[in-house]
Amino acid sequence: KGRPLNGRPKIEGEPIEAQLELLKTYEDRTRYQARVALRALPTVTVVAALKKWIEGLDPAEPGYEHHLLEALWVYEHHDTVEPEVHNALLQAKEFRARAAATRVLQHWFDRVDGALMILKRMVNDPEPRVRLEAVRALSFVPTTDAAEIALEALKHPLDYYLQYALDSTITTLEKTWKPALTSGQPLAAENPDGLVFLLARLDAKELLALPKNEIVL
């Protein structure tokens, strides 16, 4: 209260270089509107200008990782996978940047080399926000491997949100892991807590039908 109002930024009709510079501004609404304007431009033009803009960023600048994240979202708006920027953000110092890049990985999963192993790394990230995004992303990968990787979240402390995400992911992937488990395929072999987590989702009839050599606790 009492402070001057923000001026209205010039976005529409401005040169693409000026619109890209607005991605550095403090106001989130301004950055959002700039991304919307960039989304309406031809992909080839935006991608070329964006690459040049990124090359001009100073890695020593305090907002460098945030600027890269804004760039990643522009790439995403144009459905253009950019491995170098994406990988840099998956390893960012700022955990919120890593979490955002993990969510983008879910969108680009089938076009990123080694995506499943990257999610395994993110499930074991030191920050719970990143782990949550990785567990959520795995719910879109209908394989037993994805379920096993999601269960690695149990190797770290769980808060309410991570517990909810893990429950939802394992429920979503039930059609992959349950037939494998009940047929005798070893799952979560090096993750006892993960195995218990799965067994708790079997009913009594399913538990009794398990191969005799299936469970060793």
Side-chain angles (χ1 to χ4, degrees):
K1 184 177 180 180
R3 290 185 297 179
L5 299 175
N6 288 325
R8 184 173 181 177
K10 293 182 179 180
I11 300 177
E12 294 295 333
E14 290 297 297
I16 191 170
E17 292 77 14
Q19 292 176 338
L20 287 169
E21 279 299 302
L22 288 173
L23 298 179
K24 297 179 180 179
T25 58
Y26 175 79
E27 294 295 332
D28 177 69
R29 187 68 180 172
T30 299
R31 299 194 307 272
Y32 170 76
Q33 293 292 348
R35 293 198 305 270
V36 169
L38 289 164
R39 184 169 57 191
L41 298 175
T43 295
V44 173
T45 303
V46 172
V47 168
L50 188 57
K51 182 178 180 180
K52 185 176 180 180
W53 183 77
I54 292 170
E55 290 172 350
L57 296 176
D58 182 3
E61 188 178 349
Y64 177 71
E65 289 183 345
H66 191 274
H67 300 339
L68 280 186
L69 183 55
E70 290 287 338
L72 183 67
W73 284 331
V74 174
Y75 278 119
E76 190 174 22
H77 282 176
H78 285 271
D79 197 30
T80 300
V81 176
E82 213 310 308
E84 187 173 344
V85 173
H86 193 206
N87 287 334
L89 289 166
L90 287 167
Q91 302 174 67
K93 294 178 182 178
E94 170 56 58
F95 76 89
R96 286 169 291 190
R98 298 199 304 275
T102 302
R103 175 164 290 207
V104 172
L105 178 59
Q106 180 250 304
H107 302 156
W108 289 351
F109 184 84
D110 60 344
R111 291 179 286 168
V112 173
D113 292 338
L116 193 60
M117 288 301 99
I118 294 173
L119 285 176
K120 183 173 182 176
R121 186 177 84 229
M122 308 319 279
V123 164
N124 290 284
D125 191 274
E127 289 291 338
R129 185 70 178 85
V130 180
R131 299 199 298 273
L132 185 146
E133 287 292 348
V135 169
R136 173 192 169 276
L138 286 160
S139 71
F140 293 89
V141 186
T143 66
T144 54
D145 287 341
E148 286 188 294
I149 292 172
L151 290 168
E152 292 197 14
L154 293 167
K155 297 179 179 180
H156 310 275
L158 294 182
D159 58 21
Y160 170 84
Y161 302 100
L162 262 166
Q163 181 71 57
Y164 181 86
L166 184 59
D167 284 337
S168 298
T169 292
I170 294 302
T171 298
T172 300
L173 299 179
E174 186 174 291
K175 290 182 180 180
T176 64
W177 64 260
K178 182 177 280 189
L181 183 64
T182 54
S183 66
Q185 179 179 328
L187 289 178
E190 299 179 2
N191 186 357
D193 289 338
L195 179 56
V196 170
F197 195 89
L198 295 181
L199 291 173
R201 279 156 175 73
L202 300 182
D203 59 31
K205 185 177 180 180
E206 290 168 330
L207 284 169
L208 290 172
L210 288 174
K212 292 181 179 180
N213 63 344
E214 169 66 9
I215 308 299
V216 179
L217 295 177

